[in-house]
Each structure stands twice: as structure tokens, then as C-alpha cells.
Amino acid sequence: MILSQIDSLLIGGPKDFRADGTKSAMAREAVDRPVMLRKLGFEGDKVADPTVHGGVDKAVHFYPAEHYPKWIAHFAEQGMTHPLLEKAGAFGENISASGLTEDKVRIGDRFRIGKAVVEISQGRQPCWKIDHHFSVHGLSALVIKTGRCGGYFRVIEEGEVAPFDRIEHIEQAPHDWTIDRVFHLLIGGGHRAPDAANALKELRDLSSLAENWRGRAAKLAP
């Protein structure tokens, strides 16, 4: 059983991101109070581009706290430090917590967090905004290569969530599709393997997987 707790609970909304008027909600801030979690996310939390972010399958973005030392070490190897990594929220997450690494949790796993119940719906596919947020070219590609993507929860039962609330694993999905395995197949290039066809068809029919990723599996299946 995975039993963890929220290290940081972060809320935010669209802010100016680029000189061309592009906005982003990646720069979320930690809160020190309970927040109501609804079907579309935390009250007061907004996305900049609802065509690709937000919605019931992307209500809550979580990112494993275990990845931060790895990213700090990566920048140190380049002779760099990065101020964004000094606290949680560097990857735009709503929840920073240990124990939810991509190789341990499965699509469809359910957790009780505070008074809410959530379910893992998909991994987080990085985009150019991560590069721009960090001012580091190629960082999103490195997220894909390493599989340090984090993931999304859909909300099964609405309820209040507070910083340091426990994260209790209450139901394990009846399959072996971890976020890591799904991400590698759909985003990391695994679909090119000669034996990937059956796996893609299995994902296409996995009801707990987010609709857009089921559609991606269907398109990639031969």
C-alpha cells in the first residue's frame, strides 16, 4: 500500500509567459490552507489553454518529489544550479509528494487525499513550455527520455484537501500498466517496437486511461 502525504499543495492561474502574449499557469504557488477539490480541479486553480490542459482527465497534476534531487544533480553536472528547483512547483504541479513515482503507480489506481478520492488517468506529456519556463533548450526532451513526467488525477469524489494531508492508496488497478510503461509506449517511442501492436490495442481499450491517450494508442496501433 502506498501511503504518503502532500509535501506542497500549489494553486495558480494564467500569467504572462512570453512576449508574444502567450500565458501559462505553470508558476503555481504553495498554499497553507485547505482547498476544495472539484471535478475540474482545485478551486482557484486555472489553466491558460483549456484545449490542451485541464478537463476531467487532467484535474490535478502531481509530480514526484523524488525527481527534484535528480534534476538538481543533472544541472550540477553541467556546472549549473537552477532557482526553480529550490522549491516544489518547478514543473507546474498542484501536488508535490514522495511515493508516487511513475514506475510504482498504475493507470486507474485510486487514492484518498484529505476528503477527496482521485484516480490516476495518465502521465503528463511535456511541451515547449517547460523549456521556456526553465530557459533551458531540450529539457522537455530530457523529461521524455528519463520518463520523469509526473501524472494527472481525475476526481472521483470531491472534497477538501489540505497541505500535508495523507495520500492513501485505496484501490489498485487490476493490470500492470504503470504510468512509466504507458508513457514509454505512447510518448517515449516504444510504439515503434516490432511487438508493440498488441500493447497499443490493449491501451486503446483501457477504460481508466484518459480519453486522449486512448485515442493516441488507437492512432499508433497498426
Side-chain angles (χ1 to χ4, degrees):
M1 175 181 290
I2 298 171
L3 188 62
S4 182
Q5 73 172 37
I6 297 175
D7 295 328
S8 292
L9 178 62
L10 303 107
I11 305 296
K15 300 179 180 67
D16 290 336
F17 192 64
R18 208 166 59 172
D20 64 1
T22 300
K23 294 183 179 294
S24 173
M26 284 191 69
R28 293 183 164 92
E29 296 291 338
V31 297
D32 59 1
R33 56 181 172 79
V35 183
M36 188 66 186
L37 178 57
R38 302 291 188 188
K39 290 288 186 180
L40 294 178
F42 286 106
E43 288 186 348
D45 192 72
K46 303 293 183 182
V47 299
D49 185 356
T51 64
V52 292
H53 297 293
V56 293
D57 284 337
K58 297 180 182 178
V60 179
H61 173 32
F62 67 90
Y63 198 76
E66 293 94 331
H67 293 341
Y68 275 74
K70 297 174 184 177
W71 289 119
I72 290 170
H74 166 75
F75 281 103
E77 289 173 2
Q78 318 302 316
M80 300 168 55
T81 59
H82 205 293
L84 285 179
L85 296 171
E86 294 175 358
K87 60 181 180 179
F91 293 87
E93 63 265 37
N94 296 114
I95 289 177
S96 176
S98 299
L100 299 174
T101 52
E102 297 84 354
D103 61 333
K104 292 181 179 178
V105 295
R106 305 176 184 187
I107 302 298
D109 278 1
R110 291 190 176 187
F111 299 83
R112 184 174 298 281
I113 307 179
K115 297 179 180 179
V117 174
V118 297
E119 179 180 86
I120 292 179
S121 55
Q122 66 171 87
R124 190 269 187 89
Q125 182 176 357
C127 68
W128 64 269
K129 287 187 176 181
I130 288 181
D131 287 19
H132 189 77
H133 186 53
F134 277 82
S135 297
V136 175
H137 178 70
L139 187 59
S140 60
L142 190 57
V143 170
I144 293 174
K145 181 179 179 181
T146 60
R148 298 178 203 149
C149 59
Y152 286 103
F153 291 127
R154 62 170 62 90
V155 178
I156 304 301
E157 295 180 13
E158 297 180 344
E160 207 170 59
V161 176
F164 311 116
D165 271 349
R166 293 198 312 169
I167 301 174
E168 182 183 1
H169 195 189
I170 60 173
E171 186 176 331
Q172 187 175 70
H175 55 72
D176 59 358
W177 282 108
T178 62
I179 288 180
D180 182 68
R181 187 178 172 210
V182 175
F183 187 81
H184 174 70
L185 184 63
L186 296 184
I187 309 299
H191 65 280
R192 301 188 187 96
D195 58 350
N198 287 338
L200 288 166
K201 291 174 182 176
E202 190 175 333
L203 279 188
R204 177 194 63 192
D205 299 328
L206 184 62
S207 61
S208 55
L209 183 63
E211 182 179 358
N212 65 323
W213 275 27
R214 292 203 311 271
R216 183 175 179 84
K219 290 179 181 178
L220 292 173

